[in-house]
Amino acid sequence: MTDAYLNRRTFAIISHPDAGKTTLTEKLLLASGAIRLAGEVKAKGDRRRARSDWLAIEQKRGISVTTSAMTFEHDGAIFNLLDTPGHEDFSEDTYRTLTAVDSAIMVIDAAKGIETQTRKLFEVCRLRDIPIITYINKVDREGRDLFELLDEIADQLALDVCPLVWPLGTGGQFKGCYDLAHDRVLLPADGNVSGAFAKTLELDSADDPRLDELIGADEVADAREAMELAREGYAPFDLKAFREGTLTPVYFGSALKEFTVAELLRDVGKFAPPPQPRKTGPQQAGAEEISPDDDAVSGFVFKVQANMDPNHRDRIAFVRICSGRFKRGMKLKVTRTGKALAINAPIFFMAQDRQLAEEAVAGDIVGIPNHGALGVGDTLSERDGLQYTGLPDFAPEIIRRVRLDDPMKSKQMKRAMIALAEEGASQVFTPVLGADFYVGVVGALQLDVIEARLKAEYGVAVTLEVCGYETVRWLGGDEDTDIQTFVAKNQGAVAHDRYGAPVYLARSQWEAGYAEDKNPGVQFLKTRERT
Ligand code: G4P
């Protein structure tokens, strides 16, 4: 048994595009000491990397922070921060990444409140009762009424809210923040709000006369009244309620001006839960979940990134360790294939570097280089037959026929398409009849990425053509004969996914519903989960 995992904090930042996720990520890394001041560290060459929001940090700031996971240490805790693509067309990727975290920071723009993508991502977190810390960003700009923002979170997300850091003035009047839990004022170091790290001033209470001097007699009365209301009018902080996902602590701040970032980091370390037990498939005799202190090493692949280094055709599987004490060189079994994989060169992704991972425990994110042995959703374990659940494939909403510009490259194209599918970037379907090959995605932007990547990384030029189909349904049911009869009767509209599972190709959502009505013995499933 190991309890080394207890200091791991594995989390993601969720937000609507432009709310400030990238800025906050950078400032959290700065506050932890994982990277130094912006601009000091130059990006390493022009190594091409798979699409990541963090690329923006590199490009804008000249800082080298890479890949989909970043590990850093601060104040005795080891933080694993996972990147979630902001654009909604990459929502599947985000969904899967959120299965690998134990908590999340929700960034909200103070001028906008809850936006569509915030709500969607929040709902994904709610499915797993992931605890959420709320960071209301950009209080240095004119925003909405602070209480209105709090009430919106409470009403729309059905959460208890508990403000812990309060802004002293907003927009042009912004003077700093007040740490309600510790009675401290967080001030700009140089007295103006464009300063670097805030300095802090300990007070006895919000009635301390030094607050009058700091923010001026005119505004102090309003500030005190607002803070009293913030303390009295909302739920008190309750660690259990937070960890159960029913209460969110709220921090007002400015990522850009580095306000409330250190406090946020401190409290992720203090309040966010350590790794939690994970659910497994139904075939696990007796065990419905595996505890992080279980002796046997286990983990699952939540993301695969290919060709991070164009000089080597490498694929890195991002594995969240769920139990045991993993050691480099160990052999773990991939449940899907039944094959044992010797893991000789596992990687930790530090903020600026990769390091050989000698040892890892639950909560840690380990990169495993491989040549196709690992795909998204795979479980690796010392146990036989263990399969973690919760990483479904979603029915695509766009289907395209893949037309090769050079028909001689059919083999390369198929290999490349399957590699992309194993990354979770798309799905592929082979119709029962004919030689066509279909690709399915959830968002249109993914099509551009597929075309561009096939060309750049695999040297295959394709056109993705409209083909008349819009979606698929996985065929399921208690009776195999019902499925077989349906497949035999509808051969022209049946294909196989990359695991060989039969799917119905539908020309519209309506047609999918119609087929379902007409074939009561067959299930038409919008998601497929390996169990
Ligand atoms: P995202 O990753 O969530 O999409 O957001 P990002 O951090 O890229 O921030 C979006 C814009 O909001 C950026 O401005 C950024 O500077 C600004 N921003 C982030 N945090 C704050 C804050 O606390 N206060 C203020 N006033 N602005 C903030 P931009 O003009 O798009 O980019 P840039 O050229 O300024 O970098």
Side-chain angles (χ1 to χ4, degrees):
M1 204 177 104
T2 174
D3 60 6
Y5 69 89
L6 288 170
N7 72 346
R8 297 322 199 252
R9 299 291 178 268
T10 304
F11 71 108
I13 304 182
I14 58 172
S15 68
H16 193 84
D18 265 353
K21 180 164 61 99
T22 313
T23 311
L24 183 64
T25 303
E26 183 191 4
K27 297 301 162 84
L28 282 171
L29 292 172
L30 279 169
S32 74
I35 58 174
R36 280 164 295 157
L37 275 183
E40 274 186 20
V41 188
K42 292 280 172 266
K44 291 180 200 149
D46 65 343
R47 278 188 291 156
R48 188 176 54 223
R49 296 178 188 93
R51 200 182 178 90
S52 161
D53 276 4
W54 288 352
L55 206 56
I57 303 182
E58 299 197 357
Q59 285 167 349
K60 281 191 201 165
R61 324 273 184 225
I63 285 180
S64 176
V65 288
T66 58
T67 78
S68 306
M70 271 198 267
T71 297
F72 55 94
E73 264 188 85
H74 184 64
D75 219 9
I78 294 180
F79 296 86
N80 295 306
L81 170 52
L82 304 190
D83 188 21
T84 54
H87 197 286
E88 61 180 330
D89 281 5
F90 297 91
S91 53
E92 275 183 273
D93 212 20
T94 302
Y95 183 96
R96 295 197 197 99
T97 297
L98 290 175
T99 63
V101 302
D102 300 299
S103 60
I105 298 177
M106 174 169 72
V107 182
I108 290 175
D109 185 329
K112 306 236 174 85
I114 293 175
E115 298 175 84
T116 43
Q117 204 56 5
T118 335
R119 192 177 298 109
K120 277 192 195 161
L121 292 167
F122 171 79
E123 291 303 339
V124 175
C125 293
R126 165 155 284 162
L127 285 175
R128 288 191 39 241
D129 297 324
I130 294 176
I132 304 274
I133 295 180
T134 302
Y135 184 77
I136 301 189
N137 191 26
K138 308 193 187 181
V139 293
D140 56 305
R141 283 216 302 234
E142 292 304 331
R144 287 172 48 189
D145 178 76
L146 305 178
F147 292 102
E148 202 181 289
L149 287 166
L150 290 176
D151 294 344
E152 184 171 287
I153 297 167
D155 294 346
Q156 292 199 14
L157 306 184
L159 280 176
D160 284 335
V161 293
C162 169
L164 289 182
V165 175
W166 195 258
L168 297 168
T170 57
Q173 302 301 316
F174 178 64
K175 301 275 170 39
C177 291
Y178 195 90
D179 183 342
L180 293 165
H182 301 86
D183 280 309
R184 294 187 317 170
V185 189
L186 314 168
L187 291 166
D190 62 359
N192 79 54
V193 284
S194 61
F197 278 104
K199 67 180 179 199
T200 57
L201 181 71
E202 313 285 336
L203 299 182
D204 295 331
S205 74
D207 293 330
D208 195 313
R210 282 176 292 173
L211 196 60
D212 300 51
E213 289 164 36
L214 283 168
I215 64 172
D218 289 349
E219 283 129 32
V220 77
D222 284 351
R224 284 202 177 104
E225 194 184 332
M227 287 194 284
E228 197 179 325
L229 196 57
R231 275 192 230 235
E232 304 295 322
Y234 295 89
F237 184 68
D238 174 347
L239 187 64
K240 188 163 169 283
F242 161 63
R243 288 192 172 177
E244 286 171 352
T246 60
L247 174 143
T248 182
V250 179
Y251 300 76
F252 286 92
S254 162
L256 192 68
K257 313 280 190 206
E258 298 173 9
F259 272 102
T260 324
V261 176
E263 288 68 25
L264 188 66
L265 183 63
R266 175 197 69 198
D267 289 354
V268 174
K270 220 161 79 179
F271 303 147
Q276 299 295 299
R278 299 262 142 188
K279 286 204 169 55
T280 62
Q283 85 278 31
Q284 300 306 307
E288 286 176 357
E289 52 181 34
I290 300 282
S291 163
D293 58 13
D294 191 281
D295 282 333
V297 171
S298 69
F300 64 86
V301 179
F302 62 93
K303 187 177 176 96
V304 172
Q305 233 169 315
N307 307 332
M308 289 161 86
D309 181 348
N311 298 320
H312 307 100
R313 177 135 300 174
D314 65 341
R315 290 208 337 184
I316 306 250
F318 288 78
V319 174
R320 156 149 181 151
I321 303 288
C322 299
S323 65
R325 187 182 279 272
F326 167 83
K327 289 201 166 69
R328 184 162 80 88
M330 248 181 182
K331 274 193 172 165
L332 296 179
K333 212 175 224 184
V334 183
T335 305
R336 174 175 55 91
T337 58
K339 288 191 182 141
L341 192 67
I343 302 168
N344 296 319
I347 300 163
F348 280 143
F349 300 92
M350 310 309 281
Q352 288 172 28
D353 259 324
R354 296 180 183 190
Q355 271 179 16
L356 216 47
E358 295 295 344
E359 229 180 77
V361 294
D364 283 337
I365 307 298
V366 175
I368 301 183
N370 67 98
H371 296 287
L374 294 174
V376 166
D378 278 343
T379 295
L380 296 107
S381 177
E382 286 184 300
R383 286 174 190 263
D384 278 339
L386 180 74
Q387 178 69 44
Y388 283 107
T389 56
L391 284 125
D393 283 328
F394 295 89
E397 286 166 25
I398 301 172
I399 310 252
R400 292 286 185 266
R401 182 185 296 114
V402 185
R403 190 172 60 73
L404 264 173
D405 293 1
D406 174 0
M408 301 299 284
K409 291 206 164 170
S410 159
K411 261 196 185 148
Q412 282 103 310
M413 180 276 282
K414 284 194 179 162
R415 220 179 307 127
M417 292 301 300
I418 287 169
L420 290 186
E422 279 163 352
E423 280 182 51
S426 59
Q427 293 175 46
V428 290
F429 302 100
T430 331
V432 171
L433 300 178
D436 283 340
F437 201 67
Y438 293 131
V439 58
V441 295
V442 174
L445 250 188
Q446 282 171 284
L447 295 174
D448 296 344
V449 173
I450 290 169
E451 272 187 11
R453 286 191 55 190
L454 282 179
K455 193 155 194 190
E457 293 166 23
Y458 298 91
V460 181
V462 299
T463 312
L464 301 177
E465 297 178 331
V466 174
C467 60
Y469 296 117
E470 183 182 302
T471 188
V472 307
R473 293 289 181 266
W474 279 275
L475 300 173
D478 296 333
E479 298 294 335
D480 278 351
T481 47
D482 285 341
I483 302 175
Q484 283 156 9
T485 311
F486 179 83
V487 170
K489 270 197 199 154
N490 297 277
Q491 285 200 7
V494 173
H496 289 108
D497 73 3
R498 75 191 149 101
Y499 302 110
V503 298
Y504 172 61
L505 295 162
R507 278 185 285 256
S508 64
Q509 303 288 337
W510 180 86
E511 193 179 60
Y514 183 78
E516 190 168 8
D517 287 348
K518 291 285 167 203
N519 296 276
V522 180
Q523 289 172 353
F524 291 76
L525 305 166
K526 282 186 181 173
T527 58
R528 176 175 185 271
E529 185 154 348
R530 275 179 280 154
T531 53

